[in-house]
């Protein structure tokens, strides 16, 4: 399920993203005292973290807070604006400082932090970047990525593409890891049991598999599928993330050398 952010009332969403986080107390009819935008957003994030985006609704958030859905609308106009706030607040969890000795070490730490952030909140991967939220959390992530990679000395006009590539490597790889975790819950079948059942059938139904797909077979011969305590698909996602990141940063280092000219 893909969720597009930025679909609610533009002005109200931007006011909530950039304005005060806690609503002023009410003295007249309306919600009980103590309810706030921040409390609503925190409850919504808890639901998305534990039950997934499919379980998110104004009603489910209200129930978690001991209120009716109608009580929330004074603070947040609807679910679309709520998703904007959830997404942006969660991006704000990314650390802003990476005091490593050089830009490459800082970039590795930053990428690892992004990986961890998305695994803690896998629903982030369902929010499409096609419609940016344009909130402080989103700008915080962009500023942090740019600042870390600007230390390469490359022009920002090139650094921006490195930032995009790094973010896409993280998002693509971590999505596979997150879905690997989700699959066992959604299907009721562990990854090990799933592979065991199908690999046995594959050997029976395609006995010439190695001959038909020799390059794939070489992966096994070179030890690409060694046993591990880590779930296979999650491990593959992590290794893909690490390898892709290493290749990207190697390319950046080559670009730095090229930009410096002959010595």
């Amino acid at each position: 399920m893909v969720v597009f952010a930025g679909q609610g009332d533009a002005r109200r969403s931007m006011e909530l993203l950039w304005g005060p986080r806690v609503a002023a107390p009410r003295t007249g009819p309306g919600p009980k005292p103590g309810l706030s935008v921040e409390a609503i957003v925190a409850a919504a994030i808890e639901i998305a973290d534990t039950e997934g985006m499919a379980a998110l609704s104004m009603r489910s958030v209200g129930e978690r807070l001991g209120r009716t859905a109608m009580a929330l609308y004074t603070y947040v106009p609807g679910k679309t604006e709520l998703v904007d706030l959830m997404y942006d607040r969660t991006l704000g969890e990314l650390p802003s400082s990476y005091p490593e000795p050089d830009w490459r070490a800082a970039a590795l730490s930053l990428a690892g932090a992004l990986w961890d952030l998305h695994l803690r909140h896998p629903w982030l991967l369902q929010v499409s970047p096609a419609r940016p939220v344009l909130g402080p959390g989103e700008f915080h992530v962009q500023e942090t990525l740019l600042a870390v990679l600007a230390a390469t000395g490359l022009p920002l006009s090139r650094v921006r593409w490195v930032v995009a590539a790094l973010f896409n490597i993280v998002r693509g790889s971590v999505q596979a890891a997150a879905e690997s975790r989700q699959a066992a819950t959604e299907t009721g079948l562990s990854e090990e049991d799933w592979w065991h059942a199908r690999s046995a059938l594959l050997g029976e139904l395609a006995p010439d598999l190695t001959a038909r797909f020799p390059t794939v077979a070489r992966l096994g011969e070179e030890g690409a599928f060694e046993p591990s305590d880590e779930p296979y698909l999650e491990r593959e996602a992590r290794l893909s993330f690490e390898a892709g990141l290493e290749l990207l940063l190697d390319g950046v280092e080559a670009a730095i050398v090229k930009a410096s000219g002959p010595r």
Side-chain angles (χ1 to χ4, degrees):
M1 179 180 70
V2 177
V3 176
F4 290 97
Q7 297 303 295
D9 179 80
R11 172 167 289 279
R12 188 66 182 122
S13 287
M14 297 297 281
E15 287 174 346
L16 287 167
L17 285 163
W18 291 95
R21 293 191 175 190
V22 180
R26 293 178 59 90
T27 56
K32 299 175 184 178
L35 198 59
S36 67
V37 172
E38 197 66 17
I40 293 168
V41 174
I45 291 172
E46 287 177 3
I47 291 171
D49 285 348
T50 57
E51 303 176 46
M53 286 291 273
L56 180 69
S57 67
M58 296 298 278
R59 180 176 179 178
S60 65
V61 175
E63 289 174 351
R64 183 164 289 243
L65 292 169
R67 310 296 173 91
T68 64
M70 290 301 296
L72 309 185
Y73 289 113
T74 298
Y75 298 89
V76 180
K79 181 179 174 180
T80 51
E81 292 86 359
L82 180 57
V83 169
D84 290 359
L85 293 167
M86 292 166 59
Y87 184 74
D88 200 69
R89 295 286 196 272
T90 303
L91 291 182
E93 294 179 14
L94 185 74
S96 57
S97 177
Y98 299 88
E100 275 74 9
D102 56 56
W103 71 265
R104 181 164 183 142
L108 288 169
S109 292
L110 172 54
L114 278 170
W115 172 277
D116 292 340
L117 176 69
H118 284 82
L119 273 188
R120 285 199 308 274
H121 307 288
W123 55 270
L124 285 174
L125 297 162
Q126 293 177 247
V127 181
S128 171
R131 292 291 185 269
V133 171
L134 300 180
E138 202 166 57
F139 275 96
H140 160 68
V141 171
Q142 187 176 25
E143 175 70 19
T144 302
L145 283 160
L146 283 169
V148 165
L149 290 164
T152 60
L154 293 172
L156 279 181
S157 58
R158 296 195 68 187
V159 168
R160 64 181 291 208
W161 301 122
V162 179
V163 165
L166 186 149
F167 193 81
N168 287 335
I169 287 171
V170 175
R171 188 177 171 102
S173 299
V174 79
Q175 180 149 12
E179 289 178 358
S180 173
R181 293 184 177 186
Q182 183 184 7
T185 302
E186 294 290 331
T187 66
L189 192 66
S190 72
E191 184 176 285
E192 183 179 351
D193 290 341
W194 187 92
W195 278 106
H196 179 74
R198 279 159 179 75
S199 60
L201 289 170
L202 193 61
E204 174 190 335
L205 300 173
D208 60 342
L209 190 70
T210 298
R212 292 175 63 187
F213 306 104
T215 310
V216 175
R218 279 173 52 197
L219 284 174
E221 294 169 3
E222 295 178 5
F225 305 115
E226 294 178 356
S228 170
D229 292 335
E230 191 175 10
Y232 168 72
L233 288 178
E234 190 169 335
R235 176 175 176 267
E236 286 294 296
R238 178 179 56 78
L239 293 176
S240 171
F241 160 66
E242 293 172 355
L245 186 59
E246 181 180 2
L247 289 169
L248 173 65
L249 299 184
D250 284 349
V252 173
E253 288 192 341
I256 294 171
V257 172
K258 184 177 180 181
S260 65
R263 296 182 180 179

